[in-house]
């Protein structure tokens, strides 16, 4: 099976812009979770989607949002970018629940200037 | 608050030496705990989970509820074990919380 894919792999934006990141889960996986990874804060949970519904949400401001489509593909959006949003954004998929084994994508590295 | 603590940012051992990567957690319910590993230039991947009680690549981890710990151990470290190791906890409801990670460096 193909692994989790994320696009784009690298992105440079300026403050105030918005960005959309995409994640395609492993075929058959219905749960998709998003994480932000930074050197200072480590890996932080953003949200989890299952069957097109947000099932869990981390402690991030409302500028961070996401959605999931009927084919389980997911997108996350960050509006009004801030310098502190520069990070590696990881997507992970699992069969049904995030407490199962999660399979991670390679990440999208976002740089905000 | 639920928290996962990995006290060592970097652990350096020689090949063949025993290794123990520490993980402590705070959680009021019954936790589900995992170790994830990230080798250089590779994706983050599951190493083991406590409910499986299995040994992967020679690594084992035992959940100690009394000490709220889930330390990762291997009796004889190999150079290929060099990687970033993350301890993680799943809360009821499915939110996965990661520790800060420990970089393991195994020297020849």
């Amino acid at each position: 099976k193909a692994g989790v894919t994320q696009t784009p792999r690298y992105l440079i934006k300026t403050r105030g812009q918005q960005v959309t990141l995409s994640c395609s889960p492993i075929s058959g996986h219905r749960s998709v979770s998003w994480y932000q990874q930074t050197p200072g804060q480590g890996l932080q949970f953003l949200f989890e989607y299952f069957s097109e519904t947000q099932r869990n949400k981390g402690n991030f401001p409302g500028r961070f949002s996401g959605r999931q489509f009927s084919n389980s593909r997911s997108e996350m959006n960050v509006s009004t970018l801030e310098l502190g949003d520069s990070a590696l954004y990881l997507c992970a998929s699992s069969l049904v629940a995030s407490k199962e084994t999660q399979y991670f994508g390679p990440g999208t590295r976002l740089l905000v200037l | 608050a639920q928290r996962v603590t990995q006290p060592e940012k970097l652990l350096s051992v020689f090949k063949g030496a025993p290794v123990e990567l520490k993980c402590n957690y705070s959680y009021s319910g019954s936790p589900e705990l995992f170790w994830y590993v990230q080798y250089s230039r590779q994706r983050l991947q599951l190493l083991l989970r406590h409910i499986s009680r299995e040994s992967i690549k020679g690594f084992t981890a035992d959940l100690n509820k009394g000490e709220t710990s889930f330390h990762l151990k291997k009796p004889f470290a190999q150079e290929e074990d060099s990687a970033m190791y993350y301890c993680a906890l799943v809360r009821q409801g499915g939110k996965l919380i990661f520790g800060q990670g420990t970089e393991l460096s195994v020297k020849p």
Side-chain angles (χ1 to χ4, degrees), chain A residues 23-106:
Chain A
C23 171
S24 292
I26 290 173
S27 177
H29 285 194
R30 295 168 62 191
S31 169
V32 174
S33 297
W34 288 89
Y35 300 86
Q36 182 195 66
Q37 186 175 28
T38 58
Q41 300 297 318
L43 275 157
Q44 292 187 283
F45 174 82
L46 279 156
F47 25 65
E48 182 208 358
Y49 285 88
F50 177 79
S51 290
E52 303 177 63
T53 302
Q54 187 179 89
R55 188 156 64 175
N56 280 294
K57 190 178 190 311
N59 298 325
F60 280 81
R63 300 185 297 107
F64 291 82
S65 63
R67 59 178 175 168
Q68 187 180 33
F69 301 95
S70 58
N71 61 358
S72 295
R73 191 177 70 83
S74 177
E75 288 182 346
M76 70 162 278
N77 185 76
V78 188
S79 62
T80 320
L81 284 165
E82 300 178 0
L83 296 179
D85 297 333
S86 295
L88 181 67
Y89 290 88
L90 292 171
C91 163
S93 75
S94 55
L95 274 170
V96 174
S98 59
K99 67 178 182 178
E100 302 165 336
T101 300
Q102 293 202 27
Y103 296 85
F104 283 82

Side-chain angles (χ1 to χ4, degrees), chain B residues 5-14 16-24 35 47 58-64 67 69-78 81 85 87 101-106:
Chain B
T5 303
Q6 294 179 249
E8 303 136 328
K9 288 188 72 171
L10 172 65
L11 185 62
S12 186
V13 301
F14 286 102
V19 63
E20 180 180 57
L21 291 92
K22 291 183 167 48
C23 172
N24 290 92
W35 277 98
L47 181 61
F59 284 97
T60 59
D62 290 317
L63 177 61
N64 186 322
E67 296 182 0
S69 68
F70 188 55
H71 302 329
L72 184 67
K73 300 177 184 179
K74 185 169 182 176
F76 308 103
Q78 303 299 315
D81 295 329
Y85 290 81
C87 182
T102 298
E103 182 182 352
L104 174 64
S105 173
V106 181

Side-chain angles (χ1 to χ4, degrees), chain B:
Chain B
Q2 296 85 12
R3 188 179 298 123
V4 176
T5 303
Q6 294 179 249
E8 303 136 328
K9 288 188 72 171
L10 172 65
L11 185 62
S12 186
V13 301
F14 286 102
K15 178 182 171 182
V19 63
E20 180 180 57
L21 291 92
K22 291 183 167 48
C23 172
N24 290 92
Y25 66 90
S26 62
Y27 183 61
S28 55
S30 292
E32 291 193 44
L33 288 147
F34 305 78
W35 277 98
Y36 279 84
V37 61
Q38 188 166 29
Y39 300 102
S40 179
R41 301 183 193 282
Q42 292 188 30
R43 304 178 182 202
L44 196 59
Q45 58 186 288
L46 179 70
L47 181 61
L48 54 81
R49 49 193 305 189
H50 88 272
I51 61 171
S52 301
R53 294 184 152 268
E54 55 193 345
S55 173
I56 304 291
K57 300 185 178 184
F59 284 97
T60 59
D62 290 317
L63 177 61
N64 186 322
K65 290 186 178 180
E67 296 182 0
T68 59
S69 68
F70 188 55
H71 302 329
L72 184 67
K73 300 177 184 179
K74 185 169 182 176
F76 308 103
Q78 303 299 315
E79 290 180 68
E80 55 266 31
D81 295 329
S82 295
M84 278 294 293
Y85 290 81
Y86 294 93
C87 182
L89 172 155
V90 169
R91 285 174 29 178
Q92 266 188 320
K95 188 172 166 179
L96 190 62
I97 300 169
F98 282 89
Q100 289 285 80
T102 298
E103 182 182 352
L104 174 64
S105 173
V106 181
K107 299 180 178 178

